[in-house]
C-alpha cells in the first residue's frame, strides 16, 4: 500500500515532478487511518484540529459548503483516490472552508503540519515539491470555481433580463387596466 500511495501522490502532483523515492518519503511522513462511510472528516468553519491534510487512498468524499438556505448545502466536488483534502488548513491554520463527508469507507494518509515542517527541515527538496503539488491542486480548484462562477453569473444575468422583461409587460398591462373606466 505504501508504494501504491506514493504512486497516487506522484500522479496527483505531476507539475511537481516528484519521483517515487520522494513520494515514498512523503507517504512515510503520513499516518494511515480508516474512516467509516458517513463520517464527517472536516466541518466547514471548524477552527480546531485544522493543521493536517489527507491523501485519499481508497473511497470517495463529498465536499460541500453551506448555502444561504439552511439545510441546503452546495456540493463542491466528489473527491476520489489520489486527491488531497484539507491542504489549506495545513498551510494557513484557518477554519475549514468546506465540509468533507465520507461517501464510502475510506483509507487516508494524514500529513500533519508538524510532519510537513519535519520534511522542510530534513528533506527540503521533497517538501518543496510537495508544496508545489499542493499549490497546483489549489490553483486547479480556483480555476474550476472561476469557471463555475462565470457560468452562474451568465445565468443570473439572463434570468434578470427575463425578470425585467416580464416586469415591463406586467407594468404595461396594469397601466392599461388602470386607465380604463368601468373595469
Amino acid at each position: 500500500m505504501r508504494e501504491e500511495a506514493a504512486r497516487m501522490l506522484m500522479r496527483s502532483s505531476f507539475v511537481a515532478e516528484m519521483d517515487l523515492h520522494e513520494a515514498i518519503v512523503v507517504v512515510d511522513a503520513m499516518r494511515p487511518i480508516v474512516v467509516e462511510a458517513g463520517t464527517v472528516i472536516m466541518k466547514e468553519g471548524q477552527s480546531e484540529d485544522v493543521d493536517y491534510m489527507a491523501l485519499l487512498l481508497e473511497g470517495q468524499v463529498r465536499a460541500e459548503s453551506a448555502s444561504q438556505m439552511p439545510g441546503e448545502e452546495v456540493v463542491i466536488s466528489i473527491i476520489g483516490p489520489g486527491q488531497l483534502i484539507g491542504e489549506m488548513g495545513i498551510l494557513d491554520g484557518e477554519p475549514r472552508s468546506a465540509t468533507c463527508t465520507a461517501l464510502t469507507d475510506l483509507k487516508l494518509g494524514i500529513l500533519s503540519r508538524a510532519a510537513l515542517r519535519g520534511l522542510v527541515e530534513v528533506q527540503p527538496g521533497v517538501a518543496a515539491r510537495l508544496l508545489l503539488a499542493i499549490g497546483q491542486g489549489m490553483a486547479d480548484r480556483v480555476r474550476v470555481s472561476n469557471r463555475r462562477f462565470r457560468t452562474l453569473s451568465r445565468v443570473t444575468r439572463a434570468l434578470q433580463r427575463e425578470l425585467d422583461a416580464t416586469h415591463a409587460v406586467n407594468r404595461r398591462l396594469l397601466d392599461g387596466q388602470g386607465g380604463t373606466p368601468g373595469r
Side-chain angles (χ1 to χ4, degrees):
M1 187 70 168
R2 175 179 175 229
E3 189 171 315
E4 183 180 339
R7 290 191 189 286
M8 284 182 185
L9 186 60
M10 288 170 57
R11 283 191 300 274
S12 73
S13 61
F14 63 90
V15 167
E17 298 177 356
M18 194 177 289
D19 66 28
L20 183 60
H21 170 73
E22 292 169 329
I24 287 174
V25 168
V26 173
V27 168
D28 285 348
M30 293 178 169
R31 177 177 48 89
I33 66 166
V34 175
V35 176
E36 290 183 11
T39 303
V40 173
I41 305 160
M42 298 171 186
K43 181 100 174 118
E44 183 176 0
Q46 172 185 343
S47 57
E48 299 85 30
D49 195 28
V50 296
D51 62 343
Y52 71 92
M53 68 174 199
L55 172 63
L56 182 54
L57 302 170
E58 286 182 16
Q60 286 190 322
V61 171
R62 179 182 61 233
E64 60 190 12
S65 184
S67 72
Q68 298 298 330
M69 301 294 290
E72 292 186 20
E73 288 73 29
V74 175
V75 175
I76 299 168
S77 65
I78 303 297
I79 301 164
Q83 294 181 288
L84 299 172
I85 57 175
E87 313 92 310
M88 292 190 325
I90 199 170
L91 295 177
D92 66 7
E94 292 294 314
R96 297 293 186 189
S97 63
T99 297
C100 292
T101 306
L103 292 176
T104 63
D105 290 345
L106 306 175
K107 289 186 182 175
L108 301 168
I110 302 294
L111 183 69
S112 68
R113 185 178 298 132
L116 177 59
R117 283 189 181 133
L119 283 174
V120 168
E121 292 174 14
V122 178
Q123 296 277 349
V126 172
R129 283 178 184 60
L130 175 61
L131 290 169
L132 183 58
I134 291 169
Q136 173 198 346
M138 290 170 52
D140 290 346
R141 282 196 303 277
V142 167
R143 283 189 180 88
V144 167
S145 293
N146 285 344
R147 283 192 298 272
R148 288 178 181 166
F149 178 74
R150 282 191 300 271
T151 300
L152 181 59
S153 181
R154 285 192 296 268
V155 168
T156 301
R157 283 193 306 273
L159 287 171
Q160 187 60 55
R161 285 191 300 272
E162 289 294 321
L163 284 171
D164 291 346
T166 301
H167 179 71
V169 167
N170 287 339
R171 176 63 51 206
R172 282 192 302 268
L173 290 172
L174 288 173
D175 288 346
Q177 282 185 350
T180 307
R183 281 194 185 181

